[in-house]
Amino acid sequence: MRVAAFTGFGDGDEVAIRERPDPDPGPGEAVVDVEACSINRHDLWILQGDSALVSEGALPFVSGLDAAGVVRAAGEGAAVEAGDRVLLCPNETCGTCEYCREGPETLCEAFRLYHGALAEQALVEADRLIPLPESVGFPEAAALPTAYLTAWRMLKVADVGPTDLVFVPGATGGVGVAAVQLSDVLGAEAVGTSTSERKLKRLEELGCAHTVESADPEELVRAVRAVGQPDAVVNHLGGEFTQAGLEVMRRGGTMVICGRTAAPTSEFELGPFFLRHEEIVGSTMGTQPELATLVELLADGAFDPPVGGTYALAETGEAFDEMLRRDAFGKLVVEPGA
């Protein structure tokens, strides 16, 4: 089979097509013909050498978390059959620690993420596969596991519900778009920001009630205050946007942080933070049942993930370069079976 492998650290030029043996499923495993795999900033950080998960000694490395496709073969005891349409939940857990026993599984002491879906076939644990209805397209399904699952979990952690106001700085990236759409699904309104007027117009079409064209934290604070006091902040940026979010959030509000796109550290004022009883909560991915819920919502037409572009496996490097340019709106999806 062919894989799109990272052969060095850098940009899309470091992605090359390699041949690897077709996998055979062992007990409890399945081989999936990958029809679609979306790429994420997580993959880009690995490609750029900005991830502790992958060292130079691990190259060539095949990334790709978000696989949707059709089961080719299933091992003994697997709860899937050849021909099943499926979506992979990329969570990998030990299954035995106190956090796996008591939940949520994202707290597992050995929590990891699956890699290897930027390939024609993926060898996976069969119990991590979620049935995919015929009404759901593979590219749209592949958008869900990282961006939408992360956003859904963040909104749930912040207890977002009808009539709430959610502040989403940097709302035109993967998690940002997902947070806006899923806030709407939950009956909440979102305030989304971007430096692109074109992208903000697309965001409005997806149900974003309020948009702000700026990346300046002080301007964002003034603009959001003019709208209201957010009940929750979905923060995938970090850096100086953490303080901005705390300044606009209502008393007792919750900020959930899932990333460091802008900067890996943040400084914020402690006095207002504890005097206003605000909360900052970290969050990574979500649970497999939550991903199954998102599949159901997608099948029911509750939301429709925008796909910013599709690429053949041989064009995977171009997809990463497009991500680096930040021009696309919506998920970028590699289609190994195309």
Side-chain angles (χ1 to χ4, degrees):
M1 67 170 181
R2 297 182 308 150
V3 303
F6 299 170
T7 58
F9 295 133
D11 58 17
D13 290 339
E14 302 296 340
V15 182
I17 299 300
R18 295 285 186 266
E19 290 285 343
R20 290 192 176 176
D22 289 352
D24 290 318
E29 296 180 331
V31 174
V32 175
D33 285 330
V34 181
E35 296 295 335
C37 176
S38 72
I39 60 173
N40 301 280
R41 191 152 295 275
H42 173 90
D43 303 292
L44 181 60
W45 284 336
I46 294 174
L47 177 59
Q48 293 179 314
D50 191 24
S51 172
L53 297 173
V54 179
S55 64
E56 190 169 354
L59 300 177
F61 181 80
V62 181
S63 195
L65 289 68
D66 298 350
V70 178
V71 174
R72 169 183 284 260
E76 182 181 355
V80 294
E81 299 178 351
D84 287 351
R85 301 176 87 251
V86 292
L87 175 67
L88 174 67
C89 176
N91 294 349
E92 293 184 347
T93 57
C94 70
T96 58
C97 72
E98 62 176 303
Y99 302 106
C100 284
R101 294 194 303 270
E102 299 174 7
E105 66 173 338
T106 50
L107 288 177
C108 173
E109 295 173 350
F111 185 83
R112 294 170 58 88
L113 292 171
Y114 174 88
H115 298 86
L118 289 173
E120 290 178 321
Q121 299 173 33
L123 178 65
V124 303
E125 295 294 328
D127 61 5
R128 284 296 183 184
L129 294 173
I130 296 171
L132 199 61
E134 290 286 346
S135 60
V136 176
F138 290 119
E140 290 73 23
L144 298 181
T146 297
Y148 283 77
L149 180 58
T150 296
W152 183 253
R153 181 68 181 173
M154 294 172 80
L155 294 171
K156 289 298 184 179
V157 166
D159 197 26
V160 170
T163 75
D164 281 349
L165 185 63
V166 181
F167 177 36
V168 188
T172 53
V175 171
V177 171
V180 166
Q181 288 188 282
L182 296 177
S183 292
D184 188 53
V185 170
L186 292 169
E189 288 189 353
V191 182
T193 77
S194 174
T195 57
S196 168
E197 180 182 4
R198 174 181 61 85
K199 291 184 179 181
L200 287 176
K201 288 181 179 179
R202 291 288 309 278
L203 207 62
E204 290 173 352
E205 295 170 359
L206 294 176
C208 191
H210 313 277
T211 58
V212 181
E213 185 181 349
S214 177
D216 178 76
E218 293 184 1
E219 289 185 14
L220 295 183
V221 168
R222 291 193 293 270
V224 174
R225 282 176 173 168
V227 174
Q229 292 183 306
D231 301 273
V233 177
V234 172
N235 183 0
H236 70 90
L237 296 177
E240 56 189 348
F241 296 96
T242 301
Q243 174 63 31
L246 292 173
E247 287 185 30
V248 300
M249 198 162 58
R250 69 162 175 82
R251 296 177 67 85
T254 302
M255 173 185 292
V256 189
I257 299 179
C258 74
R260 54 178 179 86
T261 305
T265 60
S266 296
E267 292 186 4
F268 57 90
E269 298 178 24
L270 289 176
F273 170 66
F274 62 75
L275 289 172
R276 290 167 50 83
H277 301 271
E278 296 172 326
E279 290 185 291
I280 298 178
V281 184
S283 185
T284 297
M285 298 293 286
T287 67
Q288 185 162 331
E290 287 171 330
L291 182 56
T293 295
L294 289 174
V295 171
E296 293 175 4
L297 289 169
L298 178 57
D300 290 342
F303 68 98
D304 187 18
V307 175
T310 57
Y311 301 81
L313 189 66
E315 300 169 330
T316 301
E318 297 175 27
F320 280 105
D321 286 340
E322 181 64 25
M323 179 177 283
L324 281 167
R325 285 191 290 270
R326 298 176 180 268
D327 288 334
F329 182 92
K331 296 297 293 181
L332 301 179
V333 178
V334 175
E335 297 181 313

